[in-house]
């Protein structure tokens, strides 16, 4: 079979998954103007929650999904209220260190609680594989990609067609003006954090069907997430979607056709290139604060 | 502080004579090595405000360079570590040049990605042992030239010396002008550029120094552990630990990273020893909590906590005290002849389809006070930003006529323009909240032709005298050592004005100098501007307060919709129906 | 505390058995008075290797217990019958444990054990990188260091005087792969094209290097070598390339999660190589079977020990029974090596007749334990000039019906090898 075709199909599927887990990172970055270095750790905790719901409480994955996503939303709210609110508008140093501290805390408390073991589940409906354009893709990955598309669709609809969504967008563009328009900016920030972690939780739930969880699982995803968001741009729904798919394609095509050993190197190099070559465009968004 | 440092140093030097516990000595050696790296990180992340999560790259490259030189070429690490430091410093500058253009999170992100990239490369690079790593040649055991011993004492003193040097470098930076500049850049890079401080140059300097010290620490680490591999010396967690140590103790101080390294390493060792098989990452949970707590509640770290308890200051009374404005004792000679100083021709600025400036022509003659009036959105502040280099113009020409001949300002960076003798203030005040009032005046000194060597010395007496004079001039001497954040709004305006005056700029651009302050301060500022003008400074002033401007200005430009509508003496503008209609929206 | 309780229980059972009760009881107080021999145990007790560290600790504790108390029922196992070390007046082994959780800590802990705990010898550390640094401390201080579990060949190529290894190296293990391939070729199997899928730290990188060198030397074609960073986000690209190369056998050097990811990806691709031959690690852990279920069957792995050996060697079953009664699980191929390591060290101290470093060194150099006295499938234990056990070797096991069965060498095999592995749609 044509290796390029395989690479493109698998890259697209994984890219959608990357896009799904990156979505929330871009949302907070755009709306709240905070870069959450701990985003992948929330995904990791969602994976653990799913694991215990499915393996411990014997729930079906689809029954666990709303519970885990609701928990994710609450976790996002709490994070904003307890921690992030205090560093809003503070220097970048403080923000970066706070979320890095959060990363340490979340990762190693999972380590303390669950140990270093890898845990996974099997979701019977997704145990086989399907053919996409003649390329076999695991049903679990295909389902995750589908979940990604649905999540993106729902969020896009929320942002475009509801009053709350418009308020959220206005807050992202100019918090001061939003405040002047009578938008409860504080509520919007809370909402953004809730939605952000909730989407990470959706990603975590479906990721667990084909990827085992351990406390350090975030390592493999953190930079991929950042690459997706920086590449696609933040503050919109389509940005991370585009970025995630591009990153998935870069990883897959470079991995299949050039060298799998360096596939992550290609991703990081792509991230650096974007950072270096497009700082004008990227900084244009940054000048807001 | 120096005495305390020296005393601690002597105590540490005597420690191995009293303590023979090898495990403890091992812990101390690690404290020194990591402490050096934390101090080095602090040079960049603390003083220069650039957060790096990639310092493991410098640490690892240092370790690999000296090790390869010893193992492959038989070059003594005593030389090899300096070669490593030089090489790594060079690498850091190559990395720093593009990454410093990135602000805020992007720099942290770029360093993080870079560290991962280097680690992947080293994991697969057979020449340096790839994933298997490198063993140092233990057959050279106890040969001092090879820096390999089977006792700990030599390592203890080497690591201690390195640590002392890193602390010394930090202390020096904190004490000289460079330290002040870096703090200013860290707090508000744009405002620092308005004073003419070349931020990039000093950041690169700190990057190089930081990388070099980290590389030295890496070399010594390799010599001590005698085995290196990418997952040890290029571990991304290591980068984060260096940063955490510095932040935990107190970023931007000398004692901070040292205390942080000591506390965290010994804590980790104790937890490892005391909890043994139970140590399931609890130490990192504690780190995480501490970091969040410190970042959110006391960004200055442990030292900041101590200072907060000791140095509490009463809040200043609102408004400024009325004191007679003292004359600048260092005034210049007679008023020069009216020759053009600043010439703006056909200046245009477009934001997408919007023409913010649409062919502005403007001339400021030596010794004048020129005012710019106009309704909101007329393009006044955009004009200032284009003249001073904060916004690139879309077209037109800006010339400054100085003694050495005319200089084209278009396309130059703000700090360069400032160095040509053009000072500005901002519409929203931009002072450096963490710097004291006196420090503001010290960093206001002339930066044109200031060498790096000069920046590594304290402020010269002439600058100090001038700072004291200006302090009196704007009647802030009572607040000499208070941070700017503790001043009232009016006082901050005065401070921003005085700060721009320190280097006696021939031309000052003031953006709404009297907006938002009470009448007393308005009168005082008007006095100061007149006094300075008599002393030889030319002014270009944007002001909404028409009365204040009418009273001050020799000439006025009236702007609307990105264009100059009327130009002339105040009386002429007052009689211009067109201007008044536009101004009052009639 | 734990040690004492178990000792008492062992003794009680002994009393119930009724044989030589008096002899046994007399030996205990005598040896306690002579002062125990302190031996340092450097193993990863925390961090990511903590689980396997615990397994090794259990086996080593059991081995020490067997040395210290009489176990005539386990004869001819080394030092099982007498209580303590006979040549040292029945003195006992006392284990001092330290947590070697990374290379730097391993060395620091080794130094602490030598300088402060005054141990007379060291054992450890499982991970080759940790063993490398910890043994440096022993070498510079002139203290014997015995390693039982690390397989990196470089460890015994450093010209160390005080370093000994009982277990096989990657070279021995890999040579075994090729001996098996040779035997299978004689039986008419087509094995010419090979591929390697390897994680990229000390373990995988070293093994991959050895595998490539031996394949080249023996004239095999290496169709693909794919190195990845563990844990991988996906292994699809690697496996696509291997699939495209269609090797006759795929050699895998992988940790647990990588192994599970590999099997899942292979199933998705609807592809399985004719043989998947693993350098133990992830493929021989109980969790591998748990996570992959029946999909994980038919893989082969090297092993220096397997429970299935008990069919031919009764001692293996008896020691495992004792282990099972204590810990309620079976020994595995890793901690069987640790177990044998401690017995070898105790034996060397006994042979040397004293606890000074030179005496123990003498004992190690004199060591010559016959096959029958061990639970291993090795010809015996005898060190060459580099300190490597000349006879260390292993067997090949295949995962069939949820059990690792010995399938090679053919004369030790429990069951016949399944080669090629059945395609996915042909599996029941």
């Amino acid at each position: 079979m044509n290796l390029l075709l395989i690479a493109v199909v698998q890259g697209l599927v994984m890219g959608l998954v990357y896009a799904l887990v990156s979505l929330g990172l871009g949302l907070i970055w755009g709306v709240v103007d905070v870069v959450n270095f701990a985003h992948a750790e929330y995904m990791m905790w969602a994976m653990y929650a799913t694991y215990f719901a499915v393996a411990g409480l014997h729930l079906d994955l689809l029954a666990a999904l709303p519970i885990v996503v609701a928990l994710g939303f609450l976790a996002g709210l709490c994070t904003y209220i307890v921690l992030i609110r205090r560093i809003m508008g503070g220097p970048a140093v403080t923000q970066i260190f706070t979320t890095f501290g959060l990363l340490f805390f979340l990762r190693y408390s999972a380590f303390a609680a669950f140990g270093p073991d890898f845990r996974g589940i099997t979701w019977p409906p997704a145990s086989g594989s399907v053919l996409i354009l003649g390329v076999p893709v695991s049903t679990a990955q295909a389902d995750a990609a589908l979940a990604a598309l649905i999540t993106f669709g729902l969020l896009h609809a929320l942002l475009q067609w509801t009053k709350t969504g418009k308020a959220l967008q206005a807050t992202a563009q100019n918090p001061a003006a939003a405040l002047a328009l009578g938008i409860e900016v504080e509520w919007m920030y809370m909402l953004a954090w809730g939605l952000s972690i909730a989407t990470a939780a959706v990603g975590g739930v479906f990721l667990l069907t084909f990827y085992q969880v351990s406390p350090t699982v975030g390592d493999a995803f953190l930079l991929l997430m950042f690459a997706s968001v920086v590449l696609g741009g933040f503050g919109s729904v389509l940005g991370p979607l585009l970025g995630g798919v591009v990153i998935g394609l870069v990883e897959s095509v470079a991995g299949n056709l050039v060298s799998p050993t360096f596939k992550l190197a290609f991703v990081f190099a792509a991230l650096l290139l974007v950072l270096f070559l497009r700082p004008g465009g990227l900084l244009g968004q940054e000048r807001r604060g | 502080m120096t005495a305390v440092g020296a005393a601690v140093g002597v105590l540490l030097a005597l420690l191995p004579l009293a303590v023979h516990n090898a495990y403890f000595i091992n812990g101390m050696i690690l404290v020194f090595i990591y402490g050096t790296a934390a101090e080095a990180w602090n040079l960049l992340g603390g003083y220069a405000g650039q957060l790096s999560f990639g310092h493991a790259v410098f640490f690892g490259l240092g370790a690999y360079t000296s090790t390869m030189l010893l193992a492959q070429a038989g070059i003594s690490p005593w030389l090899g570590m300096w070669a490593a430091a030089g090489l790594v410093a060079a690498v850091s500058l190559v990395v720093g040049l593009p990454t410093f253009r990135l602000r805020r999170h992007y720099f942290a992100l770029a360093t993080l990605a870079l560290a991962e990239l280097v680690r992947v490369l080293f994991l697969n690079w057979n020449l340096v042992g790839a994933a298997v790593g490198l063993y140092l040649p233990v057959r050279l055991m106890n040969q001092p030239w090879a820096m390999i011993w089977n006792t700990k004492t030599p390592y203890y003193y080497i690591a201690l010396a390195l640590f002392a040097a890193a602390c010394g470098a930090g202390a020096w930076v904190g004490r000289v002008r460079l330290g002040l500049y870096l703090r200013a850049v860290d707090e508000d890079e744009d405002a620092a550029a308005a004073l003419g401080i070349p931020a990039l140059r000093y950041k690169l300097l700190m990057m190089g120094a930081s990388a070099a010290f980290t590389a030295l620490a890496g070399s010594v680490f390799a010599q001590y552990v005698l085995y290196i591999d990418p997952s040890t010396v290029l571990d991304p967690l290591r980068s984060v630990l260096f940063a955490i140590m510095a932040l935990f103790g107190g970023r931007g101080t000398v004692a901070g990273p040292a205390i942080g390294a000591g506390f965290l390493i010994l804590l980790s060792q104790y937890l490892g020893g005391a909890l043994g098989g139970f140590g399931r990452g609890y130490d990192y949970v504690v780190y995480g909590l501490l970091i969040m707590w410190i970042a959110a509640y006391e960004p200055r770290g442990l030292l900041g906590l101590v200072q907060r308890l000791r140095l509490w200051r009463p809040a200043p009374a609102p408004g400024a005290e009325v004191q007679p404005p003292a004359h600048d004792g260092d005034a210049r000679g007679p008023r020069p002849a009216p020759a053009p100083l600043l010439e703006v021709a056909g200046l245009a600025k477009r934001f997408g389809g919007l023409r913010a400036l649409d062919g502005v022509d403007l001339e400021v003659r030596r010794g004048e006070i020129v005012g710019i009036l106009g309704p909101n959105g007329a393009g006044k502040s955009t004009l200032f930003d284009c003249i001073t280099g904060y916004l690139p113009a879309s077209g037109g020409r800006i010339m400054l006529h100085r003694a050495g001949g005319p200089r084209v300002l278009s396309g130059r960076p703000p700090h360069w323009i400032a160095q040509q003798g053009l000072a500005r203030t901002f519409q929203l005040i931009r002072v450096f909240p963490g710097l004291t009032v006196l420090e503001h005046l010290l960093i206001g000194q002339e930066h044109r032709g200031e060498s790096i060597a000069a920046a590594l010395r304290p402020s010269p007496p002439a600058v100090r005298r001038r700072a004291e004079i200006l302090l009196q001039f704007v009647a802030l001497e009572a607040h000499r050592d208070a941070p700017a954040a503790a001043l009232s709004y009016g006082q901050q305006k005065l401070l921003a004005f005085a700060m721009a005056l320190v280097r006696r700029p021939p031309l000052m651009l003031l953006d709404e100098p009297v907006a938002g302050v009470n009448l007393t301060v308005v009168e005082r500022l008007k006095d100061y501007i007149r006094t300075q003008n008599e002393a030889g400074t030319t002014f270009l002033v944007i002001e909404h307060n028409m009365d204040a401007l009418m009273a001050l200005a020799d000439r006025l430009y009236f702007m609307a919709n990105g264009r100059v509508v009327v130009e002339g003496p105040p009386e002429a503008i007052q009689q211009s129906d067109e201007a008044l209609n536009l101004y009052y929206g009639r | 505390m734990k040690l004492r309780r178990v000792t008492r229980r062992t003794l009680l059972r002994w009393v119930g058995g009724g044989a030589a009760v008096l002899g046994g009881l007399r030996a205990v107080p005598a040896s306690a008075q002579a002062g125990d021999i302190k031996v340092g145990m450097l193993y990863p007790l925390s961090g990511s290797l903590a689980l396997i560290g615990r397994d090794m600790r259990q086996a080593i504790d059991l081995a020490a217990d067997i040395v210290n108390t009489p176990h005539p029922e386990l004869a001819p196992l080394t030092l099982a019958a007498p209580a303590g070390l006979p040549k040292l007046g029945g003195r006992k082994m006392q284990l001092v444990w330290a947590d070697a959780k990374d290379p730097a800590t391993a060395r620091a802990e080794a130094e602490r054990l030598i300088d402060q705990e005054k141990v007379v010898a060291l054992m450890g550390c499982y991970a080759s990188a940790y063993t490398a640094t910890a043994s440096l401390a022993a070498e510079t201080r002139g203290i014997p260091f015995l390693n039982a579990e690390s397989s990196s060949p470089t460890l015994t190529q450093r010209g160390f005087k005080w370093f000994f290894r009982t277990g096989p190296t990657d070279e021995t293990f890999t040579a075994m792969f090729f001996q098996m391939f040779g035997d299978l070729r004689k039986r008419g199997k087509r094995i010419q094209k090979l591929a390697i899928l390897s994680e990229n730290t000390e373990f995988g990188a070293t093994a991959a290097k050895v595998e490539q060198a031996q394949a080249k030397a023996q004239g095999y074609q290496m169709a693909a070598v794919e190195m990845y960073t563990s844990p991988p986000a996906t292994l699809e690209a690697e496996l696509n390339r291997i699939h495209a190369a269609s090797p006759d056998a795929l050699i895998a050097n992988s940790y647990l999660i990588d192994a599970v990811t590999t099997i899942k990806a292979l199933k998705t691709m609807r592809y399985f190589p004719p043989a998947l031959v693993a350098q133990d690690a992830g493929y021989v852990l109980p969790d591998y079977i748990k996570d992959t279920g029946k999909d994980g069957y038919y893989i082969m792995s090297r092993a220096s020990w397997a429970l299935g050996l008990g069919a031919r060697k009764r001692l293996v079953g008896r020691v495992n029974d004792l282990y099972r009664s204590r810990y309620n699980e079976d020994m595995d191929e890793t901690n069987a090596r640790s177990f044998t390591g401690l017995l070898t060290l105790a034996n060397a101290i006994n042979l040397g007749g004293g606890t000074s470093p030179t005496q123990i060194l003498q004992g190690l150099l004199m060591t010559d334990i016959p096959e029958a006295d061990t639970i291993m499938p090795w010809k015996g234990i005898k060190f060459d000039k580099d300190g490597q056990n000349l006879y260390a070797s292993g067997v090949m096991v295949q995962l069939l019906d949820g059990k690792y069965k010995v399938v090679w060498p053919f004369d030790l095999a429990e069951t016949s090898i399944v080669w090629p592995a059945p395609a996915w749609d042909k599996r029941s």
Side-chain angles (χ1 to χ4, degrees), chain C residues 27-36 90 92:
Chain C
V28 174
S31 62
Q33 284 163 355
D36 292 346
K92 292 186 173 184

Side-chain angles (χ1 to χ4, degrees), chain B residues 294-386:
Chain B
I294 281 178
Y297 293 93
E298 183 43 80
R300 289 171 303 168
L302 279 183
L303 280 180
L305 267 187
V306 176
Q307 282 169 3
R308 185 190 280 191
L309 296 176
R310 220 172 42 194
L311 293 175
W312 181 79
R313 287 173 179 286
E321 305 76 3
V322 181
Q323 282 184 14
H327 260 274
D328 179 359
D330 209 11
R332 288 196 170 175
R335 243 174 124 134
L341 183 58
L342 179 75
E343 268 185 289
V344 175
L347 191 66
K349 175 70 196 172
R350 286 183 296 274
F351 294 105
L354 177 77
R355 286 164 185 273
L357 294 179
D358 193 8
V360 173
D361 297 310
L362 184 141
E363 190 184 73
V364 181
R365 291 188 281 271
R366 230 171 266 274
E368 276 188 315
I369 298 180
V370 177
I372 301 181
L373 266 172
N376 278 328
K380 305 186 296 288
S381 287
T382 308
L383 174 68
F384 265 26
D385 282 346
C386 286

